[in-house]
Each structure stands twice: as C-alpha cells, then as structure tokens.
Amino acid sequence: MEPHEPELTAVPVTAVLAALADDVRLQIVRALAEGGEAACGSFDFGVSKATRSHHLRVLREAGLTRTRAAGTSRLVRLRRDELNKLYPGLLDAVLTPRPPA
C-alpha cells in the first residue's frame, strides 16, 4: 500500500509551516536537503522508531516529502522543486542557519 501524498496545492500553507515548526522534523528536512533521498530508518535524532515514523508521516501529509518503496525499504526525498514553485523562498529561509544571538 502506497502512503498518502497530497497534491501540494491542496495543502494549506499553515500545515506546511506547522510541520516545519517541530525541531525533529526540521532536522529531517535539513538532512534531506543536504543529502537527497534517504531511507526512513537512516534518521537517528534521538527519538524512538515510532516517533520517527510519526514525524515522517507529518512531513509527507504536509506535502514536504515523497516516499517510495525500494524492496523492503522506504526512501524519502524532499519535494524541493514543488515547494519552491508554490512557496518561493520558504525552504531557503527555513534551511538557512540563523546567526547566534
């Protein structure tokens, strides 16, 4: 069964921003932006497998990621081109490190 991946145009910008508001999800997005496609199990941010799955589902349902099956693995990638087309500059703003306060 393929996971639900909404059309990005059907996702309110508030859902995208809410998904990016969590530190773990933001770390996942940053890792995908830097490394490209990655296996779901490769993310280790100090959370349980169930919590990691929850965060990946939230990102997918908010239209930020795509998931595809490759054998027994699930590979995740950022929907960067689609996001940049619909929300120009959003990912760049979120992914740019802030200078220390």
Side-chain angles (χ1 to χ4, degrees), residues 4-94:
H4 171 68
E5 293 178 345
E7 288 298 321
L8 196 53
T9 55
V11 178
V13 69
T14 52
V16 174
L17 294 172
L20 292 170
D22 182 87
D23 287 336
V24 172
R25 291 192 290 267
L26 188 53
Q27 288 178 53
I28 292 170
V29 168
R30 284 185 174 138
L32 291 171
E34 290 174 11
E37 192 172 61
C40 291
S42 67
F43 300 106
D44 183 20
F45 298 113
V47 297
S48 70
K49 182 178 177 181
T51 301
R52 180 180 61 222
S53 292
H54 164 75
H55 287 305
L56 289 168
R57 180 178 52 82
V58 170
L59 290 171
R60 185 182 68 247
E61 290 177 353
L64 287 156
T65 62
R66 285 227 186 262
T67 303
R68 71 177 180 92
T72 59
S73 296
R74 296 280 183 247
L75 300 173
V76 180
R77 69 175 172 84
L78 194 57
R79 294 171 71 176
R80 186 175 213 131
D81 291 342
E82 294 170 78
L83 287 160
N84 284 337
K85 190 179 279 187
L86 194 58
Y87 305 117
L90 176 66
L91 275 181
D92 291 336
V94 170

